Amino acid sequence: MATEELEAIIQRCQILEEEDFKGEDFNLFQVACQKCLEEGYAVKVLEVFKNEKNKVIVKNMGWNLVCPLVRCILSYNLEDEKREHCLSILDKLVQLCNPKELLLGLLEQIEQASGEQISQTILLLLQPLQTVLLKFHSKKSYSVGLSLSTILNQLSLLPVPYTKEQIQEDKLGLCKCCSAVVGFAKPFVDQVVQSVEASTESDVRELKEELLKFCLKSLKYPLLIAQLDQLHEDVEEDPLRHFATEILDILINIGELMPIMFSHRGSRNQNWNNPHFLDMDRKHSADSLACLSYLVFVQYFGIDCFPMVFSPSYLLQCNMTHIEVLLKRTEESVLTKGLDLLGNCLLRNGDNSLHHQYLEFKGFITTPQDLVKVMTLCPIEHLRKKSLKILQLYIDKFDAEGKYTLFRCLLTTSNHSGVEGYVIQNIKNQIDLSLKKANGCKWFTGPHLVSLLDLVLLLPEGSETDLLQNSDRIMASLNLLRYLVIKDNEYDNQIGIWTELNKIEQNFLKPLHTGLNMSKTHYEAEIKSKKENRRVAHNSQTVCSVTVGGEKMPNMTTEMQLQVLHSALFTFDLIESVLARVEELIEVKIKNVTDKNIGGHVKHLMS
Amino acid sequence: MTTDEATKNEGEVQAAALAERGEDITPNKDRGVLKIVKRPGTEDASPMIGDKVYVHYKGKLANGKKFDSSRDRNEPFIFSLGKGQVIKAWDIGVATMKKGEICQLVCKPEYAYGSAGSVPKIPSNATLFFEIELLDFKGEDLFEDGGIIRRIKRKGEGYSNPNEGATVEIHLEGFHGGRIFDCRDVTFVVGEGEDHDIPIGIDKALEKMQREEHCILYLGPCYGFGEAGKPKFGIEANAELVYEVMLKSFEKAKESWEMDTKEKLERAAIVKEKGTVYFKRASYRVVLTCKPPALLASRGLSPWNPEKRELAVEREGQERSTVFHLDRLMLSSFPQAGKYTQAVIQYGKIVSWLEMEYGLSESESKEAQSFLLAAYLNLAMCYLKLREYIKAVECCNKALGLDQVNEKGLYRRGEARLLMNEFELAKCDFQKVLKVNPQNKAAKSQLTICQQKMKEHNERDRRIYANMFKKFAERDAKEAGKATGERDAEKAMCEKELETQVTEGKA
């Protein structure tokens, strides 16, 4: 019997002094305890542990007994009184055992847990772990850091709950663990805060650094991934949002919020020169800092501690690095953070207030390109829409020359007909604005505009261009051209379109005619053959298959194919009609001028 | 009356008083920023544009509500003056202050946060009140290493800076020990100042200057003429220099996105050539001090010029180029490191243009790859020379990413690793080189060096341990002796193997 074995060993050991113990005694004791626990005699073990006389042998058993003990606790139901006994044993262990050994034992348990047991283990052991750590007198910072990073590493294995329901359910316990960890860290934060002014002891400094690392790591996961927008005006606060405020509070309390927010611009303070810290993977801290910026500027966490004298354009500039990091990712919540942060920083600036030379700062020219990528490639619709909205905001904030540069850049880099169409529409609006002003802006009239139009009024691959693919762009270009022909007075050529007509004819209108003719013939022939095929063979052989996002779409029936072909033809007709209208306008206006010139000429001759 | 209202009224009274007595300090005289000096400064000096400024301040809204205070944070607020980092009122106001001065500023919204306000604290169209104490200021440390300190005499226009490769027109005056040694107008390309006897620090600083900017630059030796000094100007080694520079105009080099693939490829060719010129000029100094022709001939593969082809070209044009470079050398013995840095700039351009280029045709892509490969390999070489071994390894890795069995890539990585004391890895690399080309003598000799170093290392370790545990060592002397014998035998075996490899290679 396990209990008897244990009793026997105890009898033998109680009379021994510490130095008289032999290795085998410990082994026997451990095996016996383990057996008792496994067979459900926790009460017996507890009894042994409570007995003052057994102090000596218990003292050295910390590491060995943690594992079976934790296993037992997790296996019992919450109401089971055996669980209570085990918990009491754990308390005893924490009281009596060598803290260093116990620390390792506890961390080992946390590290080894997997699946649903991760959060259970953490929630169970945080309290004992904290007690053990507080027993360390000096040199505790390393152990605190080790504990925090072990816990966060384990938490990073848990998926972040996303919807409101998921958060409430908190199936794998991530939210509970997050709030527990904050409680766990609290006494250490307090220690740092209390000694912030008093001392520069290396231990406190190290502890501060460990806490800082903990905060940065939490920002990267789970906070970066978490959806932190306040979804509803709920009384009950979202636990992850709460966690975010707690992390910010820690940063503020240990006096590191400002230094790390400005670490990238080089105003390092003294504690920042620690090489150990600089070794930290830079990429990791880039993610963390981006999340931090989002929390401060979009969610206003800790904004009270942020200086209110920075200019809005400078804030945009500082945040651009973070925005870049966020927009490069693909997760919905991260992209949302990037877009929100950019939107927030842009709204702080007045329209037309950003000097075009900001585009020369790092990130200012690549970020709109990133927005285009989100707009065209992201599978999530509301993000595509938001991205487009923010791109417009971005354009609006720049001065005329900045807009001009942006348009050039977007036209050459976007490779997407829809985006190009959108930019061309924007160009039209700018020309319109510029014409309305008394002395128009030089970037959207005259030679500058003409050189921009060179990028617009052309077919990318001449008459071979895929008109269907490029229809958005072509329609926008034709609309712009029609607008210009109507608006630009043929006599004073203010915009400069009339001297460019030849080039436009060559690069755009002529190839467009050819292209339209070729495409129409091609599609008409295709329709004809489809119809014939349908008559000849009524079977629906697969002509082509389409896959979307890796899933195969149902095969197109001949009917559907015909429909598509017809709609293509319709597009060509549309282009053709606008083209005809433009050419008609040009003709009329040119005729006016020549008539008048001839008229003048004749008059001159007659006089 | 509630206390809130009391403070509010008090605030308004104060505001009115300030508005009445304040001095208008805006350039336009539109009363947008009013200033009252509360305590005059202790020194007469005012900060210059770009200076790092230390202040304590407290900010209030018109209703008297405090919205911000640096004293609450318990640390002074630091910013760069006149750079648009802070609201306009501050850039204007702080520039008028003297060290130690305390003043109050009344800032109209046009000089603060305007109609947008600043969420969540500053409402739209708010007039702000500040009390500011100027604690200290100092020149701007351009690269955070104390190597270049700038003080701006006259602010430039806009935000645009010359980039690498931009053509700049400047006026410069160089001072050393109170003596002016250089004074001229000069036009050159940023990154190539060396060609005009301009130290690298000026190139670097120009990238942070604006059109029409007039500034004083304090250059540390590594940004000046370095170890070699500049005999032409009578500058000795490791001299600290002061330059006054006026950037009259510049034309930027095209940014990557402004160029199409064709242009990038064309420029890559030019830039590669330039880089190579710098690289060779750097190596010439070494070569010449070693009495070159004989030495070059005798060591077909000197470590500075491992490419036979390049060497042949050099030897063909030997007379002219040697004389030319000898001249230059005597006139102004270039700092060695300087030119590798310049070469890095040139090769780096290729990487920035072509690294992320996509959507290329097959032939273009092939061409781009070959440029990139060459750039990475040459960069690796430069970094080796600059003793930046980690970067050298990075470049080799990138080169090997393009061509797994690139002989030079492997060799240079081996070299870098050897210099970082990563003997095992270095050995691996050299062995790979020999797999690719069993004729590579340099790799063979490097392998031998590896073995030697490993041996030395082991011995050193053993000595250290021997000292530490002298007692144990003595006790176990016999056994240890045996072990050493064994290890030596093992090494001998290795060396023998290597020799056979070498002879095989020869055969």
Side-chain angles (χ1 to χ4, degrees):
Chain A
M1 279 294 283
T3 43
E4 282 151 16
E5 270 174 48
L6 182 61
E7 197 60 45
I9 297 160
I10 292 297
Q11 293 295 331
R12 192 153 55 82
C13 292
Q14 270 177 353
I15 45 168
L16 293 175
E17 292 292 318
E18 186 168 2
E19 51 265 31
D20 296 332
F21 280 110
K22 294 200 191 97
E24 60 186 302
D25 295 328
F26 289 122
N27 280 341
L28 287 172
F29 181 74
Q30 186 201 338
V31 171
C33 282
Q34 205 167 328
K35 238 180 180 172
C36 280
L37 286 171
E38 275 161 13
E39 290 172 14
Y41 300 107
V43 192
K44 181 72 200 163
V45 182
L46 182 59
E47 208 173 278
V48 171
F49 271 58
K50 277 183 174 164
N51 191 339
E52 275 290 309
K53 290 182 195 156
N54 299 328
K55 229 171 144 182
V56 178
I57 189 155
V58 168
K59 185 178 161 197
N60 292 299
M61 290 282 73
W63 190 352
N64 300 323
L65 283 182
V66 169
C67 173
L69 200 54
V70 168
R71 208 164 44 215
C72 280
I73 297 175
L74 291 181
S75 70
Y76 293 133
N77 280 332
L78 277 181
E79 303 84 41
D80 201 328
E81 67 165 349
K82 284 178 188 158
R83 186 184 146 95
E84 281 307 312
H85 296 147
C86 290
L87 287 175
S88 309
I89 300 174
L90 187 59
D91 278 348
K92 275 284 163 197
L93 272 183
V94 170
Q95 268 175 37
L96 298 173
C97 295
N98 176 342
K100 265 185 198 158
E101 278 185 24
L102 206 51
L103 174 76
L104 292 177
L106 291 170
L107 290 182
E108 203 172 58
Q109 287 312 303
I110 292 178
E111 205 163 34
Q112 279 168 3
S114 64
E116 291 192 356
Q117 296 208 327
I118 292 180
S119 63
Q120 291 172 8
T121 316
I122 291 178
L123 291 171
L124 175 68
L125 297 184
L126 276 184
Q127 187 57 50
L129 191 58
Q130 189 188 51
T131 317
V132 169
L133 283 170
L134 288 171
K135 281 189 177 177
F136 282 64
H137 286 292
S138 58
K139 297 272 169 206
K140 76 158 82 66
S141 51
Y142 173 77
S143 310
V144 172
L146 188 68
S147 308
L148 286 169
S149 80
T150 309
I151 294 164
L152 285 181
N153 280 343
Q154 282 299 94
L155 290 185
S156 72
L157 300 174
L158 303 176
V160 178
Y162 198 69
T163 62
K164 199 184 155 203
E165 290 72 34
Q166 284 171 354
I167 291 174
Q168 270 169 356
E169 191 194 354
D170 194 19
K171 197 172 165 204
L172 288 168
L174 179 70
C175 299
K176 276 185 226 87
C177 286
C178 283
S179 42
V181 169
V182 171
F184 171 78
K186 188 158 185 311
F188 309 112
V189 176
D190 289 345
Q191 258 171 32
V192 172
V193 174
Q194 276 154 22
S195 52
V196 146
E197 278 165 51
S199 75
T200 49
E201 280 172 62
S202 69
D203 202 41
V204 171
R205 211 182 56 225
E206 279 166 28
L207 190 57
K208 185 161 147 180
E209 250 155 43
E210 296 296 345
L211 289 170
L212 180 55
K213 277 190 210 163
F214 160 69
C215 290
L216 287 176
K217 210 167 171 175
S218 313
L219 285 165
K220 184 178 154 65
Y221 197 97
L223 291 175
L224 180 65
I225 310 295
Q227 124 76 33
L228 296 170
D229 260 332
Q230 202 149 23
L231 289 174
H232 310 279
E233 296 283 317
D234 268 351
V235 191
E236 201 182 333
E237 217 198 341
D238 174 349
L240 288 172
R241 251 180 90 85
H242 186 71
F243 182 53
T245 54
E246 297 280 0
I247 291 294
L248 262 289
D249 280 347
I250 296 181
L251 282 174
I252 293 166
N253 286 333
I254 63 173
E256 285 293 333
L257 180 66
M258 289 303 292
I260 58 168
M261 285 207 72
F262 287 96
S263 56
H264 62 278
R265 64 163 202 179
S267 72
R268 286 182 233 143
N269 67 2
Q270 264 67 37
N271 1 2
W272 204 256
N273 286 333
N274 186 328
H276 184 61
F277 196 85
L278 292 178
D279 279 348
M280 234 181 81
D281 194 348
R282 282 187 187 255
K283 196 176 160 292
H284 287 238
S285 72
D287 286 345
S288 311
L289 294 178
C291 183
L292 180 62
S293 251
Y294 166 83
L295 289 173
V296 172
F297 290 104
V298 181
Q299 301 293 345
Y300 307 146
F301 293 167
I303 192 100
D304 282 339
C305 301
F306 195 81
M308 268 298 143
V309 288
F310 287 118
S311 69
S313 54
Y314 182 65
L315 288 181
L316 175 63
Q317 189 196 333
C318 290
N319 276 316
M320 209 46 114
T321 351
H322 305 315
I323 292 163
E324 270 188 292
V325 169
L326 297 172
L327 292 186
K328 292 270 188 293
R329 301 275 291 259
T330 50
E331 300 95 325
E332 183 180 1
S333 55
V334 184
L335 274 176
T336 310
K337 286 193 179 65
L339 293 173
D340 284 345
L341 182 56
L342 178 55
N344 179 291
C345 292
L346 288 173
L347 283 173
R348 291 169 187 272
N349 287 277
D351 279 352
N352 306 311
S353 69
L354 284 179
H355 202 279
H356 65 94
Q357 277 154 341
Y358 272 99
L359 288 173
E360 288 160 16
F361 285 126
K362 192 178 167 287
F364 273 74
I365 199 80
T366 50
T367 294
Q369 297 176 45
D370 289 340
L371 287 175
V372 167
K373 273 188 202 130
V374 176
M375 268 155 61
T376 54
L377 302 175
C378 176
I380 305 161
E381 191 189 357
H382 74 96
L383 290 183
R384 291 200 300 269
K385 283 187 175 158
K386 195 172 203 168
S387 188
L388 178 65
K389 229 170 84 190
I390 288 179
L391 181 68
Q392 186 62 56
L393 202 57
Y394 199 82
I395 294 170
D396 292 343
K397 297 301 172 188
F398 273 94
D399 63 5
E401 190 177 348
K403 290 190 175 89
Y404 180 89
T405 315
L406 270 178
F407 295 154
R408 282 197 88 98
C409 168
L410 290 172
L411 281 175
T412 46
T413 56
S414 70
N415 286 321
H416 185 279
S417 166
V419 176
E420 285 162 5
Y422 190 79
V423 171
I424 292 168
Q425 178 66 31
N426 252 289
I427 295 176
K428 191 188 134 198
N429 294 345
Q430 288 307 315
I431 299 171
D432 199 43
L433 271 176
S434 162
L435 286 180
K436 275 180 193 146
K437 278 183 222 157
N439 44 352
C441 133
K442 67 170 179 175
W443 293 97
F444 291 99
T445 53
H448 283 299
L449 177 63
V450 166
S451 106
L452 184 60
L453 290 180
D454 282 349
L455 290 175
V456 177
L457 301 177
L458 86 166
L459 286 187
E461 287 150 67
S463 55
E464 320 269 280
T465 310
D466 183 342
L467 298 184
L468 208 53
Q469 190 96 57
N470 282 285
S471 62
D472 281 346
R473 182 201 156 102
I474 293 169
M475 285 301 283
S477 306
L478 280 173
N479 272 327
L480 172 61
L481 183 57
R482 187 180 59 171
Y483 168 85
L484 290 171
V485 171
I486 295 172
K487 276 280 175 173
D488 200 10
N489 189 312
E490 60 272 31
Y491 300 110
D492 58 16
N493 192 27
Q494 185 192 0
I495 302 175
I497 195 74
W498 297 102
T499 37
E500 291 301 306
L501 268 184
N502 251 335
K503 196 156 74 181
I504 295 168
E505 187 80 31
Q506 283 306 317
N507 293 341
F508 187 46
L509 302 180
K510 239 188 193 167
L512 185 54
H513 268 297
T514 325
L516 277 171
N517 288 338
M518 291 196 313
S519 305
K520 277 172 81 174
T521 329
H522 176 75
Y523 276 79
E524 271 159 6
E526 194 79 356
I527 289 176
K528 208 172 148 200
S529 79
K530 276 271 143 53
K531 279 184 178 161
E532 272 163 18
N533 277 356
R534 184 169 54 170
R535 236 172 289 142
V536 174
H538 214 63
N539 59 351
S540 58
Q541 264 185 346
T542 323
V543 185
C544 62
S545 67
V546 183
T547 48
V548 174
E551 272 178 63
K552 203 166 176 195
M553 299 292 278
N555 289 331
M556 285 173 89
T557 63
T558 318
E559 276 314 315
M560 287 157 97
Q561 290 174 27
L562 276 174
Q563 226 170 350
V564 170
L565 291 170
H566 274 297
S567 94
L569 271 186
F570 178 72
T571 310
F572 297 144
D573 282 342
L574 202 67
I575 295 179
E576 201 163 37
S577 72
V578 182
L579 176 61
R581 172 78 184 128
V582 170
E583 288 183 321
E584 194 182 316
L585 278 168
I586 294 175
E587 210 171 299
V588 171
K589 285 212 166 184
I590 288 181
K591 197 156 168 281
N592 276 349
V593 178
T594 24
D595 280 358
K596 198 163 181 195
N597 278 353
I598 289 168
H601 203 58
V602 173
K603 227 186 270 171
H604 179 71
L605 279 179
M606 299 217 329
S607 62
Chain B
M1 201 198 271
T2 64
T3 22
D4 257 14
E5 278 167 0
T7 43
K8 193 177 166 191
N9 282 359
E10 195 184 313
E12 274 163 7
V13 171
Q14 243 186 1
L18 272 171
E20 234 167 72
R21 286 186 294 134
E23 179 201 353
D24 182 3
I25 53 168
T26 56
N28 306 337
K29 295 290 162 212
D30 56 11
R31 301 189 61 76
V33 188
L34 303 174
K35 177 183 168 186
I36 298 171
V37 178
K38 297 279 281 185
R39 186 185 80 191
T42 48
E43 285 170 39
D44 202 31
S46 285
M48 283 163 119
I49 295 152
D51 280 1
K52 202 172 181 183
V53 185
Y54 299 71
V55 298
H56 260 311
Y57 71 94
K58 171 163 86 187
K60 284 184 190 169
L61 297 174
N63 61 13
K65 191 174 172 237
K66 182 176 84 179
F67 62 83
D68 188 14
S69 161
S70 60
R71 300 220 185 253
D72 290 352
R73 286 191 298 272
N74 235 332
E75 56 185 14
F77 177 67
I78 308 165
F79 70 102
S80 299
L81 184 65
K83 297 282 185 157
Q85 286 188 0
V86 287
I87 52 173
K88 290 195 190 87
W90 269 52
D91 267 342
I92 296 171
V94 176
T96 66
M97 294 177 75
K98 310 265 185 252
K99 196 167 170 176
E101 177 180 316
I102 296 179
C103 77
Q104 288 180 324
L105 294 182
V106 184
C107 319
K108 287 275 162 58
E110 303 83 74
Y111 288 85
Y113 288 106
S115 58
S118 184
V119 279
K121 284 200 210 159
I122 314 278
S124 171
N125 290 317
T127 298
L128 306 182
F129 297 79
F130 287 101
E131 184 169 290
I132 307 177
E133 176 179 3
L134 179 57
L135 303 168
D136 198 6
F137 54 85
K138 55 187 178 194
E140 181 183 9
D141 186 350
L142 286 186
F143 295 95
E144 299 283 329
D145 58 1
I148 306 180
I149 305 290
R150 169 172 70 176
R151 305 214 61 200
I152 299 176
K153 278 190 147 178
R154 192 180 67 217
K155 189 176 164 13
E157 295 164 0
Y159 301 89
S160 164
N161 314 111
N163 51 359
E164 245 165 40
T167 307
V168 293
E169 193 189 344
I170 64 170
H171 175 79
L172 65 78
E173 285 168 25
F175 301 87
H176 174 57
R179 172 180 67 91
I180 180 163
F181 65 81
D182 194 4
C183 174
R184 60 190 153 132
D185 291 316
V186 55
T187 302
F188 69 102
V189 174
V190 174
E192 297 169 19
E194 181 58 40
D195 298 356
H196 300 264
D197 302 317
I198 295 167
I200 189 80
I202 303 289
D203 292 274
K204 294 276 180 200
L206 277 165
E207 285 183 51
K208 302 213 167 190
M209 287 174 68
Q210 279 119 29
R211 200 183 309 274
E212 295 290 321
E213 177 174 322
H214 184 181
C215 66
I216 306 169
L217 299 168
Y218 300 84
L219 304 185
C222 58
Y223 287 100
F225 292 117
E227 283 173 27
K230 193 92 176 167
K232 182 179 172 184
F233 293 141
I235 306 283
E236 72 273 22
N238 294 323
E240 295 193 350
L241 309 172
V242 180
Y243 272 92
E244 242 188 271
V245 178
M246 226 263 280
L247 175 56
K248 292 199 263 189
S249 69
F250 65 89
E251 198 171 313
K252 290 190 74 133
K254 272 194 188 175
E255 299 285 348
S256 185
W257 62 268
E258 289 172 296
M259 289 189 263
D260 57 21
T261 311
K262 195 170 154 249
E263 196 172 352
K264 285 183 187 173
L265 289 172
E266 280 169 12
R267 288 196 175 213
I270 299 171
V271 158
K272 186 183 162 203
E273 197 49 45
K274 258 186 200 156
T276 311
V277 169
Y278 280 123
F279 184 82
K280 280 191 189 155
R281 214 184 288 160
S283 18
Y284 266 117
R285 183 163 179 267
V286 182
V287 171
L288 283 173
T289 46
C290 309
K291 304 268 190 286
L295 198 103
L296 278 179
S298 70
R299 296 177 58 181
L301 287 171
S302 94
W304 299 289
N305 239 326
E307 295 157 73
K308 271 188 191 150
R309 191 174 44 76
E310 269 182 29
L311 223 101
V313 175
E314 267 173 50
R315 249 182 270 154
E316 266 170 31
Q318 200 174 46
E319 253 176 297
R320 256 193 75 196
S321 64
T322 312
V323 170
F324 169 74
H325 284 291
L326 254 174
D327 272 346
R328 297 205 62 145
L329 198 75
M330 289 196 286
L331 282 172
S332 55
S333 79
F334 298 107
Q336 251 190 66
K339 268 167 294 40
Y340 293 116
T341 316
Q342 275 102 351
V344 165
I345 291 173
Q346 302 297 337
Y347 294 131
K349 285 182 193 169
I350 300 183
V351 174
S352 75
W353 293 337
L354 298 176
E355 194 176 27
M356 292 300 171
E357 194 78 347
Y358 52 92
L360 305 179
S361 73
E362 202 179 316
S363 71
E364 280 174 338
S365 144
K366 226 172 171 182
E367 204 181 340
Q369 299 275 306
S370 90
F371 274 125
L372 270 178
L373 184 62
Y376 286 134
L377 289 173
N378 292 346
L379 277 171
M381 193 54 156
C382 293
Y383 284 130
L384 271 174
K385 296 290 152 209
L386 291 166
R387 300 196 191 100
E388 298 197 38
Y389 303 123
I390 296 175
K391 282 186 184 163
V393 171
E394 268 170 26
C395 289
C396 290
N397 285 338
K398 290 216 169 129
L400 293 169
L402 296 172
D403 175 8
Q404 274 188 9
V405 290
N406 187 286
E407 196 180 338
K408 284 183 214 158
L410 288 166
Y411 182 86
R412 284 171 199 175
R413 189 168 68 184
E415 231 179 329
R417 284 174 166 170
L418 180 56
L419 289 161
M420 289 194 289
N421 286 345
E422 292 175 357
F423 306 122
E424 283 295 337
L425 289 170
K427 196 171 129 192
C428 272
D429 281 334
F430 291 126
Q431 279 165 346
K432 279 186 203 154
V433 173
L434 288 174
K435 229 182 197 173
V436 179
N437 174 14
Q439 313 294 323
N440 193 324
K441 282 185 200 157
K444 278 176 201 160
S445 61
Q446 292 282 21
L447 254 183
T448 326
I449 296 174
C450 267
Q451 310 277 12
Q452 274 169 6
K453 290 250 175 159
M454 279 157 103
K455 197 167 140 192
E456 280 168 25
H457 209 72
N458 283 338
E459 263 165 22
R460 200 178 317 138
D461 277 359
R462 205 181 318 136
R463 262 204 307 281
I464 291 167
Y465 288 124
N467 287 339
M468 274 167 64
F469 306 113
K470 209 172 174 185
K471 240 164 124 183
F472 299 114
E474 272 166 16
R475 206 200 293 162
D476 301 334
K478 217 175 167 185
E479 275 171 290
K482 224 164 82 191
T484 321
E486 272 167 20
R487 218 173 296 164
D488 281 344
E490 200 180 296
K491 254 172 227 143
M493 279 290 285
C494 284
E495 272 156 19
K496 209 172 171 188
E497 262 174 36
L498 200 77
E499 263 174 38
T500 33
Q501 262 183 1
V502 173
T503 27
E504 269 164 23
K506 271 177 193 161

